[in-house]
Amino acid sequence: MSAQNRSPDSQEWVLKPESEYRFELDPDTSLAIKLVRGKAEIFGAELVPGKYYLFGVECQPSTEYISEDTPMQAYGNLHIALEKMRVRSLFTLSGSSLSPGEPQSNARPSDPPRVLVIGPANSGKTTLCKTLANYCVRAGQGWTPILVNIDPNDGGWAPPGALSAAAVQDPIHTYSAAMSLGSAATTAPMSLASNTLFPLVYWYGHADPKRNPKLMERLIRNLGENLEERFDQKPETKASGCIVDTPALFSSGPAATAELRLQLIKACVDAFRINTILVVGQEKLSAEMKKIYGRQLTVIKVPKSGGVVDLDNTFRERVHSHQIHTYMYGTNIRPPSGVPSNSVSVAGEPNSDLILSPASTTINIGDLTIFRIGTEAMAPASALPIGAKRVVSEMQPISIDASLPGSGLMNKVLAIMAPFNPDENERYDEEILDLTDRDGFEDEKDDYIEAE
């Protein structure tokens, strides 16, 4: 594998089997990688020889090295175990035997893999999820696993503040911190050949899961219900299973949040019918999950990659801003010096084809109906006076008058929900909460507006 080009800054790296080339980029820098000979992959997605792959944070990497300490062997073993579950599940669902001479009654039934990935911040959970999803679709069995992101701090295929899920049919290409799960119909032109992801998105509205845990629970349940509807379409879809990426809150935090995180983990286990929990890089959390779920689920501790980098709050805020900008305007990464622009592709497409041109529309403020779920600052129930009850519940939609100075809408991102049914005269709170539901995985209609 080589980061080679005509520039004096180019360098060739020779990788041994089961070793990794790792690099870190400073802001506003990029790196082009080309596989000269052999075979290699990025997060489980195979590289095409002779083709440049562009990576950027918005030229040289600040750090680059080769490491033979890689968790990929463990990830590969996990994939094989999950693949066996898929095959057995497909035979069970289709009523077939595992081999031509084996009676159907002797076939050992198996549930499809329903995987929950948990671990502390900066442990490589998203990397593991992408790798397992990419290995699954590369198996050549026509699998379409559902990749679920319930970390509102990331947003997945939407800006931060969203929960999302998508059926993965082709390997996911990752090239920027703002596109942690690759490009989708919501973040790039739909005419792209590599753009096959049509995510289902729910708008949570906060980057922190603790801001409104009851709303988080509801959205997790809604995602689970939508997954079951898709799984009922055909056996191959159900047998593919799902992989659920989670926020760092699920693994650790102050003692006051212990009950909350266990509650949200249970919500995921129930909503997605989890049968396998992968704990990344934390032995204490693994022991805790085995104690709680060991009798009903499979709990596996997965090693943390040595290439994971600790990210500070300043970097995360910069990534949040970049994610919102990328969602609205697409992405355009400048290739390093010496690499021709026409020879570089991003996610399998020319770099210029990933640029969006959003249009501005002026409307009367009175034509908008804006709701906020709960209050903007919600104190925990333990902070309320003894015997006191909330005036506004966490699940109550509150109508916001955008014309008032104290509306709190300055520089906010709002989700455009489905319009009211014309034959209905009123909306109930429960219906408003579910308006964030999109029309499924095949017909994505999710969009956002930014309030100035």
Side-chain angles (χ1 to χ4, degrees):
M1 188 165 124
S2 171
Q4 183 182 26
N5 51 50
R6 300 293 182 184
S7 168
D9 297 328
S10 67
Q11 187 172 1
E12 181 173 315
W13 299 86
V14 179
L15 274 66
K16 298 179 180 179
E18 298 184 8
S19 61
E20 295 181 357
Y21 168 61
R22 298 171 178 171
F23 60 89
E24 300 174 21
L25 294 177
D26 290 328
D28 300 319
T29 62
S30 63
L31 175 71
I33 293 178
K34 181 174 69 174
L35 177 64
V36 177
R37 56 189 176 274
K39 294 184 178 181
E41 61 185 36
I42 298 175
F43 301 137
E46 190 171 4
L47 297 181
V48 178
K51 179 180 178 181
Y52 281 107
Y53 289 81
L54 186 60
F55 298 84
V57 184
E58 208 292 320
C59 76
Q60 286 293 312
S62 60
T63 303
E64 58 179 344
Y65 61 96
I66 292 178
S67 173
E68 297 182 359
D69 180 18
T70 171
M72 295 308 296
Q73 184 174 2
Y75 293 0
N77 291 336
L78 271 175
H79 162 67
I80 293 173
L82 298 178
E83 190 70 5
K84 289 180 178 179
M85 293 178 66
R86 294 185 183 100
V87 172
R88 290 189 176 276
S89 175
L90 181 58
F91 278 106
T92 301
L93 292 170
S94 60
S96 304
S97 59
L98 291 173
S99 62
E102 182 182 12
Q104 180 178 338
S105 58
N106 293 338
R108 194 180 87 188
S110 176
D111 293 328
R114 306 284 190 98
V115 184
L116 183 71
V117 181
I118 61 177
N122 309 315
S123 61
K125 298 186 297 297
T126 303
T127 295
L128 175 58
C129 291
K130 288 186 293 187
T131 301
L132 292 178
N134 285 340
Y135 280 168
C136 177
V137 298
R138 285 177 56 192
Q141 302 299 317
W143 304 126
T144 55
I146 305 296
L147 183 56
V148 184
N149 176 64
I150 57 171
D151 184 3
N153 191 47
D154 187 321
W157 298 282
L163 311 185
S164 54
V168 180
Q169 302 178 20
D170 297 297
I172 299 172
H173 297 274
T174 305
Y175 50 87
S176 169
M179 313 287 289
S180 60
L181 297 179
S183 61
T186 52
T187 55
M190 296 185 64
S191 60
L192 299 185
S194 63
N195 183 21
T196 59
L197 294 174
F198 295 87
L200 169 72
V201 179
Y202 282 88
W203 185 241
Y204 172 62
H206 309 286
D208 186 357
K210 299 191 299 293
R211 285 290 299 272
N212 198 333
K214 286 191 176 182
L215 180 58
M216 275 283 294
E217 277 193 70
R218 185 186 185 94
L219 299 184
I220 289 172
R221 185 185 68 202
N222 288 347
L223 274 174
E225 292 175 353
N226 276 273
L227 259 64
E228 293 307 317
E229 292 179 3
R230 180 176 175 84
F231 286 149
D232 290 340
Q233 294 178 6
K234 56 182 180 179
E236 291 83 359
T237 301
K238 187 171 185 178
S240 300
C242 66
I243 303 171
V244 184
D245 194 8
T246 62
L249 172 69
F250 282 25
S251 66
S252 60
T257 64
E259 182 179 355
L260 169 61
R261 66 184 183 85
L262 293 178
Q263 180 180 342
L264 291 176
I265 290 175
K266 185 179 185 303
C268 288
V269 170
D270 294 340
F272 303 114
R273 302 184 184 181
I274 298 297
N275 52 31
T276 304
I277 297 180
L278 302 182
V279 182
V280 183
Q282 194 176 77
E283 189 171 356
K284 179 181 177 182
L285 179 61
S286 176
E288 182 182 29
M289 291 296 102
K290 288 181 179 179
K291 181 179 179 181
I292 299 174
Y293 296 106
R295 293 186 177 180
Q296 62 185 99
L297 308 175
T298 301
V299 180
I300 303 174
K301 181 177 177 295
V302 181
K304 173 183 175 181
S305 172
V308 174
V309 178
D310 291 333
L311 306 177
D312 55 24
N313 292 333
T314 302
F315 177 83
R316 292 187 183 277
E317 291 176 1
R318 188 165 63 245
V319 169
H320 286 173
S321 177
H322 190 32
Q323 284 178 322
I324 295 174
H325 184 274
T326 299
Y327 183 84
M328 303 291 182
Y329 299 97
T331 182
N332 182 25
I333 303 175
R334 296 184 298 274
S337 59
V339 178
S341 299
N342 57 3
S343 65
V344 176
S345 67
V346 177
E349 302 291 342
N351 192 22
S352 58
D353 288 350
L354 296 176
I355 302 174
L356 301 177
S357 299
S360 298
T361 302
T362 302
I363 59 176
N364 294 325
I365 197 67
D367 294 336
L368 293 176
T369 302
I370 302 176
F371 292 94
R372 175 182 290 127
I373 309 302
T375 60
E376 188 170 9
M378 183 77 68
S382 58
L384 297 176
I386 298 176
K389 296 183 179 180
R390 296 189 187 276
V391 177
V392 177
S393 71
E394 298 95 325
M395 301 294 287
Q396 181 178 344
I398 303 172
S399 180
I400 304 297
D401 187 348
S403 63
L404 297 178
S407 62
L409 295 179
M410 181 68 71
N411 297 325
K412 298 292 186 180
V413 177
L414 309 178
I416 299 179
M417 302 185 296
F420 286 175
N421 199 324
D423 59 356
E424 294 184 7
N425 296 324
E426 60 180 329
R427 278 282 183 177
Y428 299 100
D429 288 356
E430 292 292 311
E431 294 176 293
I432 293 175
L433 290 172
D434 290 333
L435 279 177
T436 51
D437 184 6
R438 309 323 302 168
D439 291 340
F441 296 90
E442 300 299 334
D443 184 16
E444 175 59 38
K445 297 181 180 179
D446 179 73
D447 199 358
Y448 293 88
I449 59 174
E450 185 174 3
E452 297 295 343

